[in-house]
């Protein structure tokens, strides 16, 4: 160990390497990086959720040149850039001193990294004597006070940056700070008196005394100090709310704190309830993804299983197993992604509404000059799609709110790092697209199904039906589901597995995904501009139409007035939706609707492929009588072919193209549903015919049919073929009506003859 005496003899000279480094720093300054709040830190972020109150005590004496002062500014900016700044995390105050100390800002003055960096850039070098002892006394009496932001449960740290020997006593003032539980770092510039820095700094001296050139090492030490009161963290993630979980035990005493090492947690020892506690402890939202090795692996491993109830405030408050784990399979370190403490409320979905941020409590956000670029950062944090719109809503009353600078957000900082307290009556509303999309198709309503959970991935799954696809179409605000098919790729890739049962239960699509990989990818086609709603199946309901826009999100669905729609128009709609011919066309059959109404009369010839390809009237309709919104029932695209009549033969369903149907456990009860859809009589027989060729067919679950769903809503892409025989309705009429009447007539005639 180097003694203070040896250190006194050392004089720090700038060699060519150091000179080049300083020139680089000055070049950054002259290019305006710091002035614009875009300072680039030479080190990595300190991944901490600690409460730390740090006061920078900066030498402003005459022994510093203007160039030296800029180096100190750059050093201070690098410290700020190291941390996530917030009123419930790391706070940084700054005092300049020479002959007299002066507080430039207190701990609670700046609550964002962006504003701190700007404040450092505007510091002015004044000059004077180097009264370090007086400055140390000053910060104890003025800067570590609850009234200016100091928190009782925070780690308290002073970073002294100086170039010269103090002209007053530093021994007692520095000891008073240490006695108050404040940790002191001493940073020397140029020919600083290193022995004096050793006296000022906390023990151990080796980690508390540094030269400005040793920033990376100092940064690690400062991060460790800030983390003294932290026992859980997520590392290697995109933010404080994602990463590999690391835990360390609470020490028996403060002196043992630095000896505590961080450990990863084995996936088998950690579950959803444990994850809820960790996310809450870190000030994040609910857990989103819990997956082994998502953010790398680290030895050693935590040896006990966590057994949280889910309501604990800290992970180490949870019970743990009695037995210790000795091994953990490779790739099984817990990776956790929590949602950010950001939300959109009061909108049509979790991806639209009033922007709120949680910093202690939930508050709405206000700000000026918000653009779609700023809103895009919010959408990313919420794991939604792209930003669609942003607007400012004026409330009648002023209330507490968070002020957010859009510049800070666009610099790449997490949203909660950019907020500062305020009040306003002007609240921000944002609409993001849903984290679901169809890509590679003819429009945004057709193509390969992809879901975003961190990153966009295609979807695979078994037993996907039109009923499942309809949930996707609804989330995308598209029309009715027309077809779904499975595409086999040549290679296996990461994909989301989705259970169709989960979707049909009403859960949002992204809530039904789990990680996996497959070469079989799901493709879905929804109608772009036509849908039937409130019906008993996908081929019935109230007709709604939407024009083909340049921006689909700005278009609303409109009902159609019965007077503007006829049988030929209905034929086009049924064909466009992949249904059979129109059966019933009647106003208000599927519920009445308020405005808006479609304003033009459709004038279809009957052969068009889509309703919006039809001609329409020149004049616009302003009113529509109540009960006159078009209700339409199309026949189902189901048929029996190759039999003695239309009520017997091989069962085929049309979903894009006609295909035969196969399935297991088909009963007469299942077949009866087919007979009803075909308007035939009762089910007579059902059998499975094995073909010699392997051909595309639809798989149908008999359970789905018996639940009352329409036949085409129960098919999924899938080689035996189903044959069904229904009684012919004509034969049924003969049996039930004609034969009894004939018999009755015979009896009457016979009685009459006998009387005669």
């Amino acid at each position: 160990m180097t003694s203070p005496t040896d250190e006194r003899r050392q004089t720090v000279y700038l060699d060519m390497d150091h000179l080049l480094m300083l020139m680089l720093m000055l070049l950054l300054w002259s290019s305006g990086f710091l002035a614009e709040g875009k300072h680039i830190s030479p080190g990595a972020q300190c991944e901490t959720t600690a409460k730390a109150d740090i006061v920078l005590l900066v030498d402003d004496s005459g022994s510093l040149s203007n160039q030296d002062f800029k180096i100190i500014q750059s050093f201070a900016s690098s410290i700020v850039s190291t941390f996530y700044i917030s009123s419930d995390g790391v706070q940084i105050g700054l005092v300049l001193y020479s002959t007299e100390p002066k507080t430039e800002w207190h701990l609670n003055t700046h609550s964002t990294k962006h504003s701190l960096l700007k404040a450092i850039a505007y510091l002015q070098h004044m000059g004077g004597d180097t009264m370090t002892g007086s400055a140390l006394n000053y910060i104890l009496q003025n800067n570590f006070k609850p009234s200016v932001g100091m928190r009782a449960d925070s780690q308290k740290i002073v970073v002294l940056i100086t170039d010269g020997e103090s002209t007053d006593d530093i021994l007692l003032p520095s000891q008073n700070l240490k006695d108050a539980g404040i940790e002191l770092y001493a940073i020397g510039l140029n020919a600083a008196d290193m022995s004096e820095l050793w006296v000022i700094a906390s023990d151990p001296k080796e980690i508390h005394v540094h030269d400005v050139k040793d920033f990376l090492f100092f940064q690690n030490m400062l991060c460790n100090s800030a983390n003294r009161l932290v026992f859980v963290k997520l590392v290697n993630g995109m933010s404080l709310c994602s990463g590999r979980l690391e835990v360390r035990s609470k020490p028996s005493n403060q002196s043992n704190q630095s000896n505590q090492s961080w450990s990863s947690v084995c996936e088998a020892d950690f579950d959803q309830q444990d994850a809820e506690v960790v996310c809450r402890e870190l000030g994040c939202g609910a857990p989103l993804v819990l997956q082994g090795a998502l953010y790398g692996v680290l030895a050693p491993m935590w040896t006990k299983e966590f057994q949280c109830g889910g309501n604990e405030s800290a992970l180490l408050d949870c019970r743990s197993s009695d037995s210790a784990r000795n091994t953990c399979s490779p790739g099984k370190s817990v990776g956790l992604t929590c949602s950010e403490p950001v939300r959109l409320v009061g909108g049509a979905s979790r991806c639209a509404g009033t922007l709120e941020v949680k910093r202690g409590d939930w508050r709405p956000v206000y700000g000026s000059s918000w653009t779609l670029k700023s809103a895009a950062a919010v959408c990313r944090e919420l794991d939604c799609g792209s930003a669609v719109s942003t607007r400012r809503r004026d409330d009648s009353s002023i209330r507490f709110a968070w002020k957010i600078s859009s510049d800070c957000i666009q610099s790449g900082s997490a949203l909660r790092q950019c907020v500062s307290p305020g009040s306003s009556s002007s609240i921000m509303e944002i609409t993001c697209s849903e984290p679901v999309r169809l890509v590679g198709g003819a429009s945004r309503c057709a193509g390969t199904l992809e879901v975003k959970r961190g990153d966009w991935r295609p979807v695979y799954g078994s037993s996907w039906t039109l009923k499942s696809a309809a949930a996707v179409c609804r989330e995308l605000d598209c029309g009715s589901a027309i077809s779904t098919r499975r595409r086999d790729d040549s290679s296996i890739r990461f994909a989301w597995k989705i259970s169709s049962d989960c979707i049909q239960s009403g859960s949002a699509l992204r809530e039904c995904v789990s990680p996996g990989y497959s070469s079989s990818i799901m493709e879905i086609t929804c109608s772009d501009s036509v849908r039937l709603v409130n019906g008993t199946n996908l081929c019935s309901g109230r007709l709604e139409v939407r024009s083909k826009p340049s921006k689909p999100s700005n278009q609303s669905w409109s009902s159609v007035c019965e007077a503007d729609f006829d049988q030929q128009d209905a034929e086009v709609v049924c064909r466009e939706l992949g249904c059979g011919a129109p059966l019933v066309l009647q106003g208000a059959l599927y519920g009445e609707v308020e405005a808006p109404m479609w304003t033009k009369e459709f004038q279809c010839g009957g052969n068009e492929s889509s309703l919006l390809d039809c001609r329409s009237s020149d004049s616009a309709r302003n009113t529509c009588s109540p009960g006159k919104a078009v209700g339409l029932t199309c026949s189902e695209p189901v048929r029996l072919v190759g039999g003695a009549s239309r009520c017997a033969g091989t069962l085929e369903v049309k979903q894009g193209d006609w295909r035969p149907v196969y399935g297991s456990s088909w009963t007469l009860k299942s077949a009866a549903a087919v007979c009803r859809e075909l308007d035939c009589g009762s089910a007579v027989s059902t059998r499975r015919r094995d073909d010699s060729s392997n051909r595309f067919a639809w798989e149908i679950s008999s359970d789905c049919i018996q639940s009352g769903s329409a036949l085409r809503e129960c098919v999924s892409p899938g080689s035996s073929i189903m044959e069904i025989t229904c009684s012919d309705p004509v034969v049924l009429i003969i049996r039930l009506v004609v034969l009894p009447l004939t018999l009755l007539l015979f009896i009457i005639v016979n009685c009459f003859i006998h009387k005669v």
Side-chain angles (χ1 to χ4, degrees):
M1 182 188 300
T2 308
S3 69
T5 306
D6 293 331
E7 286 291 336
R8 184 187 293 276
R9 296 193 189 103
Q10 294 180 8
T11 304
V12 181
Y13 294 98
L14 295 177
D15 56 23
M16 285 301 294
D17 288 339
H18 296 150
L19 183 60
L20 287 171
M21 183 188 75
L22 294 179
M23 290 174 66
L24 178 59
M25 285 182 173
L26 292 172
L27 182 60
L28 287 174
W29 268 95
S30 62
S31 63
F33 271 60
L34 292 182
E36 295 176 10
K38 299 177 182 177
H39 174 68
I40 300 175
S41 170
Q45 286 279 317
C46 177
E47 294 167 324
T48 180
T49 55
K51 284 186 177 181
D53 292 330
I54 303 173
V55 174
L56 305 182
L57 183 58
V58 177
D59 187 347
D60 188 31
S61 64
S63 59
L64 289 166
S65 67
N66 286 334
Q67 178 179 329
D68 292 335
F69 190 74
K70 287 188 180 295
I71 292 170
I72 290 177
Q73 281 179 294
S74 182
F75 190 88
S77 294
S78 295
I79 293 173
V80 170
S81 297
T82 296
F83 292 103
Y84 293 102
I85 305 298
S86 72
S87 58
D88 54 359
V90 175
Q91 298 183 140
I92 297 180
L94 188 140
V95 174
L96 288 181
Y97 79 95
S98 53
T99 307
E100 295 287 340
K102 178 189 175 187
T103 300
E104 295 296 324
W105 59 83
H106 283 294
L107 291 166
N108 59 1
T109 304
H110 296 284
S111 58
T112 71
K113 182 185 298 186
H114 184 71
S115 62
L116 267 172
L117 289 173
K118 288 179 71 175
I120 292 172
Y122 291 131
L123 289 174
Q124 297 294 315
H125 177 37
M126 303 302 291
D129 292 335
T130 309
M131 303 283 286
T132 305
S134 174
L136 291 169
N137 269 329
Y138 174 86
I139 60 174
L140 179 60
Q141 296 166 11
N142 295 278
N143 298 90
F144 286 99
K145 300 291 181 184
S147 59
V148 294
M150 187 196 77
R151 297 157 297 181
D153 57 347
S154 68
Q155 190 73 14
K156 297 159 187 68
I157 302 168
V158 170
V159 180
L160 168 67
I161 311 171
T162 182
D163 81 322
E165 187 175 353
S166 177
T167 58
D168 61 351
D169 176 60
I170 49 86
L171 182 59
L172 184 59
S174 61
Q175 190 59 49
N176 288 339
L177 281 164
K178 295 170 196 173
D179 291 343
I182 298 171
E183 189 173 1
L184 272 79
Y185 282 89
I187 313 299
L189 174 70
N190 297 339
D193 186 343
M194 301 304 287
S195 62
E196 183 176 276
L197 298 184
W198 273 62
V199 172
I200 293 171
S202 298
D203 293 323
K205 306 298 183 183
E206 292 87 347
I207 68 171
H208 287 94
V209 178
H210 300 274
D211 187 277
V212 288
K213 300 184 295 297
D214 302 328
F215 179 77
L216 291 179
F217 181 65
F218 161 72
Q219 180 193 41
N220 290 332
M221 296 304 102
L222 185 60
C223 183
N224 288 340
S225 293
N227 266 318
R228 291 279 164 80
L229 302 177
V230 173
F231 304 99
V232 173
K233 63 181 179 180
L234 297 174
V235 300
N236 292 351
M238 297 297 291
S239 74
L240 289 176
C241 292
S242 66
R244 184 181 65 247
L245 175 62
E246 292 187 5
V247 183
R248 67 176 177 184
S249 59
K250 293 180 179 179
S252 55
N253 57 67
Q254 187 66 24
S255 62
N256 290 335
Q257 181 81 53
S258 59
N259 297 327
Q260 301 295 314
S261 62
W262 290 96
S263 302
S264 291
V265 176
C266 192
E267 194 176 30
D269 297 333
F270 196 84
D271 63 16
Q272 184 71 17
Q273 289 174 302
D274 304 329
E276 288 171 4
V277 174
V278 169
C279 292
R280 187 184 310 115
E281 183 175 357
L282 296 177
C284 303
L288 291 177
V289 181
L290 176 60
Q291 183 180 346
L294 193 61
Y295 299 101
V297 180
L298 173 74
M301 298 296 290
W302 190 262
T303 57
K304 298 291 185 76
E305 178 186 359
F306 289 106
Q307 298 173 340
C308 299
N311 298 317
E312 296 85 351
S313 58
L315 185 63
L316 295 187
D317 292 341
C318 298
R319 292 185 302 109
S320 60
S321 61
D322 297 326
S323 58
R325 176 181 294 278
N326 297 319
T327 60
C328 185
S329 303
K332 294 298 183 180
S333 292
V334 168
L336 176 62
T337 302
C338 312
S339 58
E340 292 289 333
V342 178
R343 66 186 183 187
L344 295 171
V345 297
S349 74
R350 57 174 289 278
C351 290
T354 300
L355 175 59
E356 292 187 348
V357 175
K358 185 180 183 184
R359 285 267 300 268
D361 55 351
W362 288 101
R363 295 184 188 177
V365 167
Y366 72 100
S368 58
S369 307
W370 268 69
T371 62
L372 281 182
K373 191 174 180 182
S374 307
V378 176
C379 297
R380 279 194 301 273
E381 286 207 19
L382 290 170
D383 212 19
C384 295
S386 57
V388 175
S389 67
T390 175
R391 80 180 188 96
R392 220 162 55 202
R393 187 189 81 237
D394 292 322
D395 280 1
S396 56
S397 59
I398 294 175
R399 53 176 165 161
F400 287 117
W402 297 117
K403 180 179 180 181
I404 295 191
S405 161
S406 59
D407 292 340
C408 176
I409 297 173
Q410 292 179 33
S411 70
S413 300
L415 201 67
R416 65 173 176 161
Q417 297 166 34
C418 296
V419 306
S420 56
S423 56
S424 178
S425 63
S426 186
I427 305 305
M428 191 60 57
E429 292 186 343
I430 290 174
T431 301
C432 314
S433 61
E434 292 297 318
V436 178
R437 66 185 182 188
L438 296 171
V439 296
S443 73
R444 58 174 288 275
C445 291
T448 300
L449 174 59
E450 291 187 347
V451 174
K452 185 181 182 188
R453 282 276 300 265
D455 54 351
W456 288 100
R457 294 184 189 178
V459 167
Y460 73 99
S462 58
S463 306
W464 266 70
T465 64
L466 274 186
K467 201 171 181 181
S468 307
V472 176
C473 298
R474 281 194 300 273
E475 280 208 26
L476 291 171
D477 197 30
C478 292
S480 301
I482 295 176
S483 68
T484 175
R485 81 180 189 96
R486 217 161 56 203
R487 188 189 80 236
D488 292 322
D489 279 1
S490 56
S491 60
I492 294 176
R493 53 175 165 162
F494 286 115
W496 297 117
K497 180 179 181 181
I498 295 192
S499 159
S500 59
D501 291 340
C502 176
I503 297 172
Q504 292 179 34
S505 71
S507 299
L509 201 67
R510 69 193 298 273
E511 295 171 11
C512 296
V513 306
S514 57
Y517 48 87
S518 178
S519 62
S520 187
I521 305 304
M522 193 60 58
E523 292 186 345
I524 289 174
T525 301
C526 315
S527 60
D528 273 320
S529 51
V530 174
R531 67 185 184 187
L532 297 174
V533 298
N534 293 350
T536 55
N537 56 53
L538 294 177
C539 289
S540 66
R542 186 180 66 249
L543 176 63
E544 290 188 349
V545 181
R546 181 173 66 181
S547 60
K548 291 180 180 178
S550 55
K551 294 183 178 179
S553 58
N554 295 333
Q555 302 293 314
S556 60
W557 290 93
S558 302
S559 292
V560 177
C561 193
E562 194 178 29
D564 298 332
F565 196 83
D566 62 16
Q567 184 70 18
Q568 288 175 303
D569 304 329
E571 288 172 3
V572 174
V573 169
C574 291
R575 187 184 310 115
E576 184 175 356
L577 295 180
C579 301
L583 292 177
V584 180
L585 175 60
Q586 183 180 339
L589 188 63
Y590 297 101
E592 192 44 62
V593 67
E594 296 180 2
M597 295 293 288
W598 191 261
T599 58
K600 298 291 185 74
E601 178 187 358
F602 289 106
Q603 298 173 341
C604 298
N607 297 317
E608 294 85 351
S609 57
S610 70
L611 186 64
L612 294 188
D613 290 341
C614 299
R615 291 184 301 109
S616 60
S617 62
D618 297 326
S619 59
R621 175 181 295 278
N622 297 320
T623 60
C624 185
S625 302
K628 294 298 182 179
V630 168
L632 176 62
T633 302
C634 310
S635 60
E636 290 291 330
V638 178
R639 66 186 182 187
L640 294 172
V641 296
S645 72
R646 69 174 196 86
C647 290
T650 300
L651 175 60
E652 290 187 348
V653 175
K654 185 181 181 184
Q655 223 193 83
D657 53 353
W658 288 100
R659 294 185 191 178
V661 167
Y662 74 98
S664 58
S665 307
W666 267 69
T667 63
L668 282 181
K669 191 174 180 181
S670 307
V674 176
C675 297
R676 280 195 301 274
E677 283 206 18
L678 291 170
D679 201 25
C680 293
S682 57
V684 175
S685 68
T686 174
R687 79 181 187 95
R688 211 164 62 204
R689 188 187 81 239
D690 293 324
D691 267 9
S692 57
S693 61
N694 225 356
R695 54 174 166 162
F696 288 116
W698 298 119
E699 179 181 8
I700 294 192
S701 160
S702 59
D703 291 339
C704 176
I705 296 172
Q706 291 179 33
S707 70
S709 298
L711 202 67
R712 73 190 288 263
E713 295 172 22
C714 295
V715 305
S716 59
S719 1
S720 54
I721 306 306
M722 190 62 59
E723 290 188 345
I724 292 175
T725 302
C726 314
S727 59
D728 195 296
V730 175
V731 174
L732 190 64
I733 290 171
I734 291 172
R735 286 177 178 174
L736 295 180
V737 179
V738 177
L739 286 179
L741 286 175
T742 303
L743 181 60
L744 179 62
L745 182 62
F746 174 78
I747 293 170
I748 293 170
V749 170
N750 195 39
C751 289
F752 178 77
I753 292 172
H754 278 81
K755 284 182 180 180
V756 173

